[in-house]
């Protein structure tokens, strides 16, 4: 062999060795870590099973122990994206898994199949966890849109699509799937076997009651489904029989991998098994889906019932007198716990979990609950206290588990009482509307880009640290104001004022007029003796704590336009005073209900949401309030104003609601704003004097041009900046979880 040949051989052996070593390392990294399971007589592996109304977990040696499931729901996205885009990275998952584990949760629930990185990350995280891994519950998404559109679960194509989704989910969990990536759905090569960390299967989504009722009526003659592992009972409705087949299909497909896990289907209060005489809406009590009408056959892992149950929806939670049985200690009744008791009393023989519950930390409110457990209007501390109390209600009532909604805030979400104002709807993920409560259920705050940079504390020195070009400033924009600064992020417009004298709300009232487009109202009452060259859309009023708020122009008022004479006719015509004075910013929380369309009458209800709370947004300060919007110190005043309170339908594209009449479907129109003009003035209390428009030269001018005032202009954006921070509710839930036993030995 020549010298050259020897060198080539040696080099080849070295490269082969490196390749083999790399393959070994790769195999070790991807090799599933050791796990502990119970082997049934036929060799099937189990880690969890049901017995009576308990969920049991295998201890890895010889015993089964009762487990109380403590978990959180995990979404599939981050700000700037919609769920079908699956932008979450391995670093995100690993960081979140550690935080969730540290909180004391033992399970994560996901609603649908995530990208392969989720399963790979979970296996990687659990590698060194031994007998105490972090488990997950795999949800399987139903063809929800088709079900609602077709109103019949047996329409050809719907069930077949569901079966395909079941097959995808099972194969994904066991690392046996390769599916092309397509817009709106997960995909890729699934190689990580996460089966050892699965706790249960969770089939479907919340069922439309009219669809359930129509399915049952159209297919009343269908015999109950009889399956290999699950069967429908003689009492089962056609829709329940349809569900039994899907549950059975999940079991059959999992058995092919040598495992069994407990299975459930998604249910919610709207299609529960109880009657609600205090519910005004017929459709909220129209149909029932009963988990006891499906039973396992040769499925040792068992089966349980699962409900999404919030303390404010449907309306009977605050209207039904039959639930006023448990005093809450504060002069009201805990109707949520009373409901939980009734539901648990019905399901005596199978476990029941509440797999969604909770309240958001949002400025906006959309439903009312007893004892202040509203859907929104809570700061983070209040959110945490309520979530802990709800978890305690679930635990104390004997449920098998409680899975909180939600881990992270979700900017893409919508809420019934603001969705008409968010236009275009396909840009919701690009900004954070704090009036939309659905966006802020998380234990993990997904805050706007400047949340860590600008603390609302009445001191403006942190503004100086912002990058050049991020702040626009004007000197002496109005009498009594030495400097005005403005900046923004995805949630707020920030305003910093340096006054000529220290601010004393007992002596002075500051007003900021806001103009975004031609039109609006003259501030006749708020700025007497002046006529502006154009009307205003809003006025920000800064005074004592009770009066500081954002007011809307009477001709621009979204609320009255939608629910008044030219909308739904649920509000009385405005008084003469209301047509002149700028009005409080309100959101509807309950619509007018009138028989025979409803069971009984109920009046229209709304809430003022334009109030600005004075405080600090510094999480390190003992007085931290996540809803704080303004503060002052000496001659400095600092505030942040939610975009929608200024009329913005989408600040990322500078779209504002315009003045055109509502369309036939009561939809608003928008126009693009060229910027936000701010007109500041100061009112001396007890006097008619005004410092501001028309007094700059020392002489009062009645006619004032808006062109002379600061106009804040920004570029539209297509990408977002956001911050992550554990809310105080995370630590409150952590403390409560630590007080609960994770497992209680039951024997065997």
């Amino acid at each position: 062999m020549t010298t050259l040949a020897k060198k080539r051989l040696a080099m080849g052996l070295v490269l082969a060795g490196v390749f083999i070593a790399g393959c070994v390392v790769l195999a070790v990294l991807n090799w599933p870590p050791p796990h502990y399971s119970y082997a049934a007589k036929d060799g099937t592996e189990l880690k969890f099973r049901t017995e009576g109304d308990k969920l049991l977990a295998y201890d890895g040696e010889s015993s089964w122990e009762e487990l109380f499931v403590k978990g959180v729901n995990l979404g599939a996205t981050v700000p700037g994206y919609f769920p079908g885009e699956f932008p979450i990275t391995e670093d995100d998952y690993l960081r979140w898994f550690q935080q969730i584990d540290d909180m004391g949760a033992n399970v994560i629930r996901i609603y649908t199949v995530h990208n392969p990185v989720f399963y790979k990350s979970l296996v990687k995280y659990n590698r060194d966890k031994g007998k105490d891994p972090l488990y997950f519950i795999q949800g399987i998404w139903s063809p929800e849109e088709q079900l609602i559109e077709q109103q019949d679960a047996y329409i050809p194509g719907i069930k077949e699509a569901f079966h395909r989704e079941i097959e995808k989910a099972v194969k994904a969990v066991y690392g046996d799937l390769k599916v092309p990536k397509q817009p709106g759905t997960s995909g890729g090569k699934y190689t990580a076997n996460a089966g050892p960390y699965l706790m249960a299967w969770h089939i479907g989504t919340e069922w439309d009651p009219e669809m359930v009722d129509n399915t049952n009526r159209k297919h009343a003659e269908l015999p109950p489904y009889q399956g290999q592992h699950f069967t429908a009972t003689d009492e089962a409705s056609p829709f329940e029989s349809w569900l039994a087949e899907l549950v059975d299909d999940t079991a059959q497909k999992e058995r092919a991998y040598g495992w069994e896990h407990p299975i459930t289907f998604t249910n919610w209060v709207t299609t529960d098994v109880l009657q609600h005489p205090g519910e005004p809406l017929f459709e909220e009590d129209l149909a029932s889906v009963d988990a006891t009408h499906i039973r396992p056959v040769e499925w040792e892992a068992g089966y349980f019932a699962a409900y999404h149950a919030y303390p404010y929806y449907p309306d009977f939670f605050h209207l039904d007198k039959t639930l006023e049985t448990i005093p809450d200690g504060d002069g009201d009744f805990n109707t949520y716990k009373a409901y939980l008791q009734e539901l648990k009393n019905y399901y005596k023989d199978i476990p029941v979990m509440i797999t969604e519950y909770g309240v958001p930390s949002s400025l906006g409110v959309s439903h009312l609950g007893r004892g202040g457990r509203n859907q929104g209007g809570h700061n983070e501390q209040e959110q945490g206290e309520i979530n802990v109390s709800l978890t305690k209600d679930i635990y104390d009532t004997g449920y098998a588990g409680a899975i909180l909604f939600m881990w992270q805030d979700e900017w893409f979400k919508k809420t019934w009482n603001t969705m008409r104002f968010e236009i275009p709807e396909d840009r919701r993920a690009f900004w954070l509307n704090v009036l939309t409560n659905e966006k802020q259920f998380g234990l993990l705050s997904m805050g706007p880009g400047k949340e860590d940079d600008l603390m609302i504390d009445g001191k403006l020195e942190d503004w100086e640290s912002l990058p050049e070009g991020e702040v626009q400033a004007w000197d002496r924009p109005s009498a009594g104001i030495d400097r005005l600064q403005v900046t923004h992020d995805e949630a707020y417009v920030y305003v910093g004022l340096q006054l000529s004298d220290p601010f004393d709300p007992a002596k002075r009232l500051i007003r900021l007029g806001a103009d975004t487009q031609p039109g609006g109202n003259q501030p006749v009452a708020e700025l007497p003796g002046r006529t502006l060259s154009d009307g205003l859309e809003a006025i920000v009023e800064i005074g004592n704590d009770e009066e500081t708020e954002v007011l809307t122009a009477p001709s621009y008022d979204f609320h009255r336009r939608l629910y008044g004479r030219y909308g739904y006719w649920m509000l009385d015509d405005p008084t003469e005073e209301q047509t002149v004075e700028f009005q409080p910013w309100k959101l509807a929380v309950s619509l007018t209900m009138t028989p025979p369309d409803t069971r009984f009458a109920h009046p229209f209800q709304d809430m003022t949401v334009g109030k600005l709370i004075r405080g600090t947004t510094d999480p390190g300060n003992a007085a931290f309030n996540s809803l704080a919007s303004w503060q002052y110190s000496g001659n400095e005043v600092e505030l942040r104003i939610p975009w929608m309170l200024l009329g913005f339908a989408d600040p990322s594209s500078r779209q504002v609601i315009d003045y055109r009449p509502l369309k036939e479907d009561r939809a608003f129109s928008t126009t693009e704003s060229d910027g936000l003009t701010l007109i500041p003035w100061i009112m001396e209390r007890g006097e008619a004097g005004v410092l501001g428009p028309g007094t700059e030269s020392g002489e009062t001018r009645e006619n004032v041009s808006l062109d002379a005032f600061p106009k804040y202009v920004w570029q539209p954006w297509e990408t977002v900046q956001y911050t992550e921070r554990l809310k105080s509710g995370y630590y409150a839930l952590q403390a409560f979880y630590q007080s609960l036993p994770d497992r209680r030995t039951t024997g065997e």
Side-chain angles (χ1 to χ4, degrees):
M1 183 179 292
T2 65
T3 302
L4 179 60
K6 290 179 180 178
K7 288 182 177 179
R8 287 176 174 172
L9 177 61
M11 181 64 70
L13 291 173
V14 169
L15 291 174
V18 171
F19 176 76
I20 292 170
C23 290
V24 170
V25 170
L26 188 63
V28 169
L29 290 175
N30 286 280
W31 194 265
H35 67 271
Y36 305 88
S37 62
Y38 172 82
K41 291 181 180 179
D42 62 359
T44 302
E45 291 187 87
L46 290 87
K47 271 196 173 183
F48 301 95
R49 65 179 177 86
T50 64
E51 183 179 278
D53 67 345
K54 311 297 182 186
L55 178 71
L56 306 182
Y58 185 60
D59 70 352
E61 296 178 1
S62 60
S63 298
W64 290 89
E65 301 171 328
E66 181 184 352
L67 176 71
F68 179 71
V69 174
K70 303 174 291 188
V72 290
N73 289 273
L74 179 70
T77 192
V78 295
Y81 297 89
F82 285 86
E85 298 177 271
F86 293 95
I88 304 173
T89 67
E90 179 178 301
D91 287 344
D92 292 329
Y93 281 126
L94 292 175
R95 180 174 66 257
W96 296 349
F97 292 161
Q98 185 66 63
Q99 291 169 330
I100 292 169
D101 206 356
D102 289 346
M103 185 177 67
N106 49 31
V107 73
I108 293 166
R109 177 191 171 209
I110 57 175
Y111 297 93
T112 188
V113 178
H114 283 217
N115 274 348
V117 63
F118 168 81
Y119 306 93
K120 176 184 175 183
S121 300
L122 188 65
V123 170
K124 182 177 181 178
Y125 177 78
N126 283 325
R127 183 167 303 280
D128 299 319
K129 293 287 291 177
K131 294 184 180 181
D132 186 33
L134 182 63
Y135 291 100
F136 76 108
I137 291 176
Q138 178 67 58
I140 302 178
W141 197 258
S142 67
E144 185 178 33
E145 292 183 3
Q146 296 96 311
L147 285 168
I148 293 174
E149 180 182 344
Q150 300 290 338
Q151 290 291 295
D152 181 359
Y154 285 93
I155 289 286
I158 290 180
K159 188 162 59 175
E160 291 75 13
F162 211 153
H163 283 299
R164 288 194 297 271
E165 195 64 22
I166 289 170
E167 181 178 20
K168 178 182 179 181
V170 174
K171 287 185 174 182
V173 166
Y174 288 99
D176 184 27
L177 177 67
K178 185 177 181 180
V179 60
K181 293 182 179 179
Q182 297 178 347
T185 186
S186 58
K189 188 175 183 180
Y190 295 76
T191 58
N193 180 9
Y197 307 114
L198 182 69
M199 180 178 286
W201 300 99
H202 206 298
I203 312 297
T205 48
E206 295 171 345
W207 311 112
D208 174 51
E210 294 182 353
M211 179 275 296
V212 173
D213 182 64
N214 188 60
T215 297
N216 290 338
R217 287 188 287 103
K218 288 190 67 173
H219 304 280
E221 303 305 318
L222 279 178
Y225 172 79
Q226 304 296 305
Q228 181 177 345
H229 297 294
F230 285 86
T231 186
T233 67
D234 292 340
E235 296 81 13
S237 68
F239 183 76
E240 291 162 350
S241 194
W242 179 83
L243 273 175
E245 180 179 347
L246 295 165
V247 171
D248 185 53
D249 184 43
T250 306
Q252 290 186 43
K253 286 183 168 58
E254 183 178 41
R255 276 297 294 267
Y257 292 94
W259 276 89
E260 286 187 15
H261 287 91
I263 304 180
T264 189
F265 65 82
T266 304
N267 209 348
W268 62 323
V269 177
T270 294
T271 53
D272 68 7
V273 292
L274 305 176
Q275 297 298 312
H276 306 293
E279 172 54 49
L281 299 179
F282 292 112
E283 57 268 28
E284 296 291 358
D285 207 17
L286 176 65
S288 290
V289 181
D290 192 336
T292 66
H293 292 169
I294 300 173
R295 61 183 180 86
V297 179
E298 296 184 6
W299 190 253
E300 195 169 341
Y303 167 73
F304 63 98
Y307 277 86
H308 298 172
Y310 296 87
Y312 44 72
Y313 182 82
D315 285 326
F316 73 79
F317 275 108
H318 76 274
L319 296 176
D320 197 335
K321 299 295 184 182
T322 67
L323 291 178
E324 294 181 353
T325 58
I326 304 175
D328 67 358
D330 293 316
D332 203 348
F333 292 94
N334 188 342
T335 58
Y336 185 69
K337 189 172 186 179
Y339 171 81
L340 292 176
Q341 285 187 347
E342 288 188 12
L343 189 66
K344 184 66 179 68
N345 288 340
Y346 183 90
Y347 289 109
K348 291 184 174 66
D349 301 321
I350 65 172
V352 193
M353 287 190 205
I354 302 300
T355 53
E356 271 193 29
Y357 69 100
V359 299
S361 59
S362 62
L363 181 64
V365 183
S366 65
H367 288 101
L368 302 178
R370 296 293 285 269
R373 291 168 159 181
N374 300 332
Q375 187 177 1
H378 311 293
N379 63 32
E380 291 176 10
Q381 181 178 352
E382 294 164 346
Q383 177 198 29
E385 292 170 353
I386 295 172
N387 282 343
V388 167
S389 71
L390 296 172
T391 309
K392 188 175 188 302
D393 287 345
I394 296 167
Y395 182 81
D396 290 346
T397 315
Y399 282 71
I403 303 179
L404 184 77
F405 184 87
M406 171 89 204
W407 172 244
Q408 78 269 43
D409 289 341
E410 299 178 299
W411 290 13
F412 74 92
K413 285 292 189 69
K414 60 185 178 182
T415 300
W416 72 273
N417 62 355
T418 58
M419 57 191 291
R420 290 176 175 271
F421 313 143
E422 295 172 332
I423 309 168
E425 63 181 37
D426 62 358
R427 295 190 64 85
R428 285 194 181 105
F430 292 103
W431 64 293
L432 175 58
N433 184 6
V434 296
L435 299 186
T436 298
N437 63 77
E438 287 280 353
K439 298 177 185 288
Q440 295 184 283
F441 269 90
L443 292 172
L444 181 70
S445 167
M446 295 292 197
K450 287 189 172 64
E451 187 170 76
D452 289 345
D453 300 323
L454 292 182
M455 301 295 177
I456 300 299
D457 57 6
K459 301 174 184 177
L460 303 179
E461 64 261 26
D462 49 359
W463 288 61
E464 299 174 5
S465 301
L466 293 177
E468 185 177 354
E470 294 247 332
V471 179
Q472 295 174 34
W474 297 266
D475 292 327
R476 299 293 297 177
S478 185
I481 299 175
D482 291 341
R483 188 172 175 81
L484 181 148
Q485 302 178 81
V486 185
T487 188
H488 76 278
D489 62 15
E490 293 80 1
Y492 302 99
V493 175
Y494 297 81
V495 178
L497 297 172
Q498 289 176 293
L499 308 179
S500 303
D501 300 304
F503 179 54
D504 183 352
K507 296 180 179 179
R508 288 180 167 181
L509 182 70
I510 302 172
R511 289 191 170 117
L512 287 174
D515 175 57
T516 61
Q517 62 189 297
N521 290 86
Q522 290 289 330
V524 176
E526 295 81 10
L527 183 58
R530 310 292 192 279
T531 300
L532 305 179
S533 61
D534 194 12
L536 303 178
E537 278 66 56
I539 292 176
V540 183
E541 193 161 284
I542 307 166
N544 60 46
D545 291 356
E546 292 73 28
E547 63 189 347
T548 301
E549 64 179 315
V550 179
L551 301 167
T552 185
S555 64
Y556 193 55
D557 188 348
F558 301 175
H559 186 61
R560 184 166 293 282
R561 290 165 68 189
L562 183 58
Y563 297 109
R565 173 184 288 270
Y566 301 105
Y568 285 99
W569 284 70
M570 293 183 180
L571 289 173
D572 295 333
D573 285 343
T575 64
E576 183 177 349
E577 185 179 72
Q578 288 173 327
T579 64
V580 176
E581 295 182 355
F582 280 61
Q583 295 297 299
W585 224 106
K586 295 183 177 181
L587 283 177
V589 293
S590 184
L591 303 181
T592 303
M593 303 179 194
T594 308
D597 297 328
T598 61
R599 284 176 171 171
F600 52 85
H602 188 69
F604 181 86
Q605 292 178 285
D606 55 23
M607 293 186 70
T608 298
V609 293
K611 293 287 186 181
L612 301 182
I613 299 171
R614 187 165 67 89
T616 179
T617 61
D618 180 1
N621 191 305
F624 167 70
N625 186 338
S626 61
L627 297 184
S629 292
W630 79 287
Q631 185 57 280
Y632 67 93
S633 176
N635 67 339
E636 295 183 332
V637 179
E638 184 179 33
L639 64 157
R640 59 179 187 175
I641 309 163
W643 281 108
M644 184 163 280
L645 293 183
L646 297 173
F648 283 86
D650 172 36
S652 70
S653 60
R654 295 207 305 241
Q655 294 294 310
V656 289
I657 300 291
D658 64 20
Y659 287 91
R660 281 176 283 180
L662 297 181
K663 301 174 185 177
E664 289 186 5
D665 58 355
R666 298 186 178 93
F668 287 89
S669 303
T670 66
T671 188
E672 184 175 350
S673 175
D674 63 359
L676 171 64
T677 301
L678 294 173
I679 305 94
W681 69 91
I682 298 174
M683 301 290 297
E684 299 281 359
R685 295 193 187 271
E687 301 178 15
V690 175
L691 294 177
T695 62
E696 295 85 352
S697 63
E699 297 180 2
T700 300
R701 289 181 293 109
E702 292 186 0
N703 297 312
V704 179
S705 173
L706 296 189
D707 292 338
F709 289 91
K711 174 174 281 191
Y712 180 67
V713 181
W714 65 98
Q715 292 299 315
W717 65 83
E718 296 295 328
T719 58
V720 307
Q721 301 294 320
Y722 68 93
T723 62
E724 278 191 23
R725 174 179 50 78
L726 293 171
K727 299 181 185 180
S728 55
Y730 169 93
Y731 299 102
L733 205 57
Q734 182 183 59
F736 180 68
Y737 281 166
Q738 289 173 351
S739 73
L740 298 179
D742 193 50
R743 298 186 179 184
R744 298 184 293 275
T745 301
T746 75
E748 189 178 69

